[in-house]
Amino acid sequence: NRDLDRFRQEVDTANREFYEKLTALCPDLTQHDKELAGLLRIDLSSKEIASLHNISVKAVEMSRYRLRKKFGLEGNDNLVTFLKNMT
């Protein structure tokens, strides 16, 4: 549990500027949305994210879907590519 907290803290620190850009782009993002975006940006799969959060892969996929909608992405737009290009 302590390792997971440390990992999250490292991700937050590394993505601080990225989170600021996310907030400027879409101010209604939740903390969960920002964390998911940060994890996707570092190429974690839905399965890996589900394991970190102790939730189902389906729950991660639904969160990814909601995040895509908040950014106004179409079905053929890649969410991970969009997030990586924000830097």
Side-chain angles (χ1 to χ4, degrees):
N1 203 11
R2 191 172 19 166
D3 290 338
L4 178 58
D5 289 338
R6 184 170 179 206
F7 174 74
R8 286 182 176 163
Q9 186 177 32
E10 292 292 327
V11 169
D12 288 345
T13 301
N15 288 320
R16 184 158 297 155
E17 185 177 323
F18 172 69
Y19 292 146
E20 290 171 4
K21 288 181 182 181
L22 280 177
T23 302
L25 179 66
C26 190
D28 64 333
L29 291 178
T30 65
Q31 185 61 35
H32 175 74
D33 292 337
K34 292 175 190 176
E35 184 176 335
L36 176 61
L39 293 174
L40 290 171
R41 185 171 174 254
I42 62 171
D43 284 329
L44 290 184
S45 69
S46 293
K47 186 176 180 179
E48 291 167 325
I49 294 169
S51 177
L52 281 174
H53 289 279
N54 200 25
I55 59 175
S56 70
V57 173
K58 180 71 175 172
V60 175
E61 293 297 328
M62 289 303 299
S63 294
R64 287 178 69 141
Y65 173 79
R66 286 187 211 101
L67 195 58
R68 292 173 56 79
K69 291 298 178 185
K70 287 182 180 182
F71 289 130
L73 298 176
E74 298 295 325
N76 58 346
D77 295 328
N78 187 301
L79 177 60
V80 175
T81 302
F82 173 80
L83 295 170
K84 285 184 177 185
N85 288 335
M86 289 186 65
T87 56

